[in-house]
Amino acid sequence: MEVMNVCLFPNDKPQSLEVAQALKEKLAKIAVNVTDQHPDIVISIGGDGTFLSAVQQFSNQLSTIRFVGVHTGHLGFYSDWLVSEIDTLVERIADDQGQTVNYPLMEGRVHYADGQVAQVLALNEMILNRITNSLSLDVYIDDLLFEKFRGDGLCISTPAGSSGYNKSLSGALIDPDFSALQMTEIASINNRVYRTLGSPIIISAGTKIRIVPELGNSTINYDSYQLPHSEYEEIIFEICKQPLKMANLKQISFWQRVKNSFIGEDC
Ligand code: NAP
């Protein structure tokens, strides 16, 4: 039988480093190889921000890796294992049958004015925004010029990211069983020239959202990161062919995650 490779990915908080050390010792007892090289499972230890960083770190190996999140501090959306549960986590890894839940990822392709192309993956969302002055963008759905946006920005989120920034913009929460992208507006201006739908839209896999800046340029954020500021001609957003694989060692549903994060146990 092949030995399982597990990578521990803590943030730099002392508690996360302690948990990583404890997990390393416990995993050694079940003959798991703790390594950063070609991991089968990556365990992020921290908050959701740490989980998002772990996904970016291993974005070139997503077809072979499953992810788990241990939360140091309060319960996170992706990081659903508490520090007090790490013995159970190690037992589940020892008995692992490859249980997996897939979460759709988004691909964003940025075509810069100088001809360069940047391709990024996002687990949560990509946000185009501008804090000073408004932003004007043409929004295409496939080849259809759908609307002319003017305002603070746009958020294009995945189903898993629908509970992040998208939720603060009154977007809907989407079950990650749906391969879909949601676009929500950030403070749109509506007048005779610029007119937008005003409500979030949800597009299916295979459909592309294309953004062409008309006036000014925005910052381009993806998950916890930002691309270097540079003039771009268009950005194309679509569902990535490769989903994120979550190791479903706790058998926890998306809606249980949502309840844990936002509603709590009291009802
Ligand atoms: P951050 O600004 O340090 O944290 C933002 C908060 O969002 C944290 O409480 C984080 O949980 C939580 N979060 C992240 N992804 C989530 C998800 N899918 N569902 C529910 N909550 C989620 O930034 P960060 O930790 O690097 O995370 C970046 C993400 O934060 C972005 O992708 C965006 O979705 C979200 N964000 C939201 C707003 C907003 O709602 N106004 C503003 C900025 C960023 P933890 O405490 O467990 O890390």
Side-chain angles (χ1 to χ4, degrees):
M1 208 176 88
E2 261 187 52
V3 177
M4 183 190 280
N5 286 341
V6 171
C7 168
L8 301 173
F9 192 95
N11 64 14
D12 55 9
K13 274 200 208 156
Q15 192 195 6
S16 305
L17 298 170
E18 275 167 32
V19 170
Q21 184 57 34
L23 270 172
K24 190 175 175 183
E25 287 162 19
K26 289 172 194 289
L27 290 168
K29 290 188 187 147
I30 59 164
V32 161
N33 196 16
V34 176
T35 173
D36 296 348
Q37 301 301 310
H38 306 293
D40 301 296
I41 290 183
V42 170
I43 305 180
S44 101
I45 306 164
D48 288 329
T50 316
F51 190 95
L52 295 170
S53 301
V55 172
Q56 292 294 336
Q57 173 87 19
F58 289 97
S59 61
N60 58 349
Q61 297 172 53
L62 294 178
S63 63
T64 53
I65 297 179
R66 289 180 299 144
F67 289 82
V68 176
V70 175
H71 208 286
T72 48
H74 63 90
L75 202 64
F77 185 75
Y78 295 111
S79 316
D80 43 34
W81 287 87
L82 296 171
V83 173
S84 57
E85 298 172 324
I86 60 170
D87 285 334
T88 315
L89 172 59
V90 173
E91 282 166 24
R92 300 277 168 87
I93 290 174
D95 296 339
D96 179 46
Q97 303 296 319
Q99 304 93 318
T100 303
V101 173
N102 288 340
Y103 280 7
L105 288 163
M106 171 171 46
E107 182 183 298
R109 269 195 319 284
V110 186
H111 294 257
Y112 288 104
D114 65 2
Q116 305 237 47
V117 179
Q119 195 161 318
V120 294
L121 280 184
L123 172 58
N124 269 353
E125 77 285 283
M126 288 183 71
I127 298 163
L128 309 178
N129 62 4
R130 195 170 184 207
I131 303 304
T132 47
N133 306 113
S134 61
L135 186 64
S136 300
L137 303 166
D138 288 347
V139 179
Y140 289 80
I141 299 178
D142 287 333
D143 293 330
L144 171 74
L145 172 57
F146 183 69
E147 60 186 14
K148 283 184 170 293
F149 174 88
R150 184 157 190 179
D152 284 3
L154 289 172
C155 168
I156 294 102
S157 59
T158 66
S162 63
S163 54
Y165 198 108
N166 169 73
K167 183 174 180 296
S168 303
L169 298 170
S170 301
L173 267 67
I174 303 182
D175 189 321
D177 277 353
F178 292 105
S179 238
L181 290 183
Q182 178 165 197
M183 186 179 82
T184 35
E185 301 177 358
I186 310 172
S188 58
I189 299 168
N190 271 285
N191 53 32
R192 277 181 300 150
V193 183
Y194 295 95
R195 183 142 298 279
T196 53
L197 191 63
S199 44
I201 61 166
I202 297 172
I203 60 154
S204 57
T207 303
K208 294 183 180 69
I209 292 177
R210 186 159 64 94
I211 302 290
V212 179
E214 193 192 300
L215 185 70
N217 222 307
S218 67
T219 56
I220 305 171
N221 305 289
Y222 60 107
D223 293 346
S224 314
Y225 299 88
Q226 194 173 93
L227 282 171
H229 200 82
S230 190
E231 215 175 303
Y232 62 89
E233 284 180 344
E234 63 173 20
I235 310 180
I236 297 165
F237 304 91
E238 61 187 320
I239 290 281
C240 186
K241 287 191 180 69
Q242 174 64 54
L244 182 87
K245 302 202 284 185
M246 302 276 284
N248 195 16
L249 300 170
K250 217 177 189 182
Q251 305 288 325
I252 185 167
S253 72
F254 173 75
W255 295 110
Q256 184 69 56
R257 280 177 201 279
V258 172
K259 182 175 178 193
N260 290 349
S261 295
F262 299 106
I263 311 260
E265 292 303 316
D266 296 340
C267 75

